Amino acid sequence: GENVEQHPSTLSVQEGDSAVIKCTYSDSASNYFPWYKQELGKGPQLIIDIRSNVGEKKDQRIAVTLNKTAKHFSLHITETQPEDSAVYFCAAPPSGGGADGLTFGKGTHLIIQP
Amino acid sequence: SAVISQKPSRDICQRGTSLTIQCQVDSQVTMMFWYRQQPGQSLTLIATANQGSEATYESGFVIDKFPISRPNLTFSTLTVSNMSPEDSSIYLCSVENTDTQYFGPGTRLTVL
């Protein structure tokens, strides 16, 4: 099955700086890579995803990059704001497409220091 | 996207009892999933809820402990049976819509 590793487990950055979270996966057939943000007491919220036919995707201050050769993908948040403080999870499908449940990384607790 | 609701939002239960969690989505979806998130941990897939057939369970999860129903394309239930304190977790319903997975708000279960 798929194995997803996520680093770091905790990341503290100054407000306005950038944050980068990295994940690696094991199944070379995986082709869908979502990122979720989970705030305290809430369910995970999809913030961005990328499919294997592109190397980068941006949505305002958030971007995701994918390196299929190295089997890793990263979340980039620029101009961080206090509301970005949360736990972020990367995920990948167990094999092939997105019709199966996801395998999640262990999560990154992002702390934005004012 | 999809709007997903879960009931109850939280509960405190005695060991040995069972709790049924409901998941309702605002549109018909083919795939529904149930996840568990233990305190301070990541999400682990319990099973895929199949409409019209038995659920597909992941390794480490069995139907006797986590029976699942999926009577139609917008609703599913997960029962946590014969609970012990180790079952204290957040239980999350998820649906797939246009090749993207969305999550409900979760049910926070505490077993005493």
Side-chain angles (χ1 to χ4, degrees):
Chain A
E2 178 73 275
N3 183 40
V4 178
E5 300 282 343
Q6 183 173 346
H7 300 279
S9 57
T10 303
L11 178 60
S12 181
V13 301
Q14 289 294 124
E15 181 179 349
D17 290 349
S18 296
V20 180
I21 303 170
K22 299 180 179 180
C23 286
T24 61
Y25 60 97
S26 60
D27 187 349
S28 57
S30 292
N31 61 4
Y32 173 64
F33 307 95
W35 284 91
Y36 291 87
K37 175 184 180 182
Q38 188 175 31
E39 297 174 309
L40 195 62
K42 297 184 178 181
Q45 176 192 3
L46 178 72
I47 56 172
I48 196 167
D49 58 13
I50 191 168
R51 300 182 193 271
S52 59
N53 57 342
V54 297
E56 183 177 4
K57 182 177 178 181
K58 287 184 179 180
D59 183 3
Q60 300 182 0
R61 295 186 298 108
I62 295 173
V64 55
T65 58
L66 172 64
N67 183 326
K68 285 210 51 119
T69 302
K71 289 190 284 188
H72 69 71
F73 56 112
S74 299
L75 177 71
H76 304 254
I77 305 174
T78 59
E79 301 174 19
T80 53
Q81 301 171 2
E83 53 266 36
D84 294 330
S85 293
V87 180
Y88 291 81
F89 293 98
C90 63
S95 61
D100 298 315
L102 296 169
T103 299
F104 282 79
K106 292 190 181 299
T108 296
H109 185 192
L110 177 62
I111 302 166
I112 307 302
Q113 302 278 7
Chain B
S1 66
V3 178
I4 305 167
S5 60
Q6 286 185 232
K7 290 181 181 180
S9 58
R10 60 178 64 241
D11 207 343
I12 300 172
C13 301
Q14 297 297 319
R15 69 172 67 209
T17 63
S18 298
L19 176 72
T20 296
I21 302 167
Q22 299 179 4
C23 176
Q24 179 77 52
V25 62
D26 67 340
S27 58
Q28 292 186 340
V29 294
T30 303
M31 306 298 291
M32 293 183 78
F33 309 93
W34 287 97
Y35 289 79
R36 181 175 73 183
Q37 186 176 26
Q38 294 177 301
Q41 302 297 313
S42 185
L43 288 76
T44 301
L45 179 65
I46 297 172
T48 302
N50 300 308
Q51 197 267 332
S53 63
E54 198 169 276
T56 305
Y57 290 85
E58 297 298 304
S59 176
F61 297 96
V62 295
I63 187 171
D64 289 347
K65 176 67 176 178
F66 298 101
I68 288 170
S69 78
R70 178 86 191 272
N72 56 53
L73 294 176
T74 63
F75 186 79
S76 178
T77 67
L78 169 75
T79 299
V80 186
S81 303
N82 188 23
M83 289 183 285
S84 66
E86 293 71 35
D87 294 319
S88 297
S89 292
I90 300 172
Y91 291 87
L92 293 148
C93 172
S94 170
V95 305
E96 187 213 89
N97 191 356
T98 59
D99 288 333
T100 302
Q101 285 201 22
Y102 301 94
F103 284 83
T107 295
R108 284 150 188 79
L109 171 62
T110 301
V111 184
L112 301 177

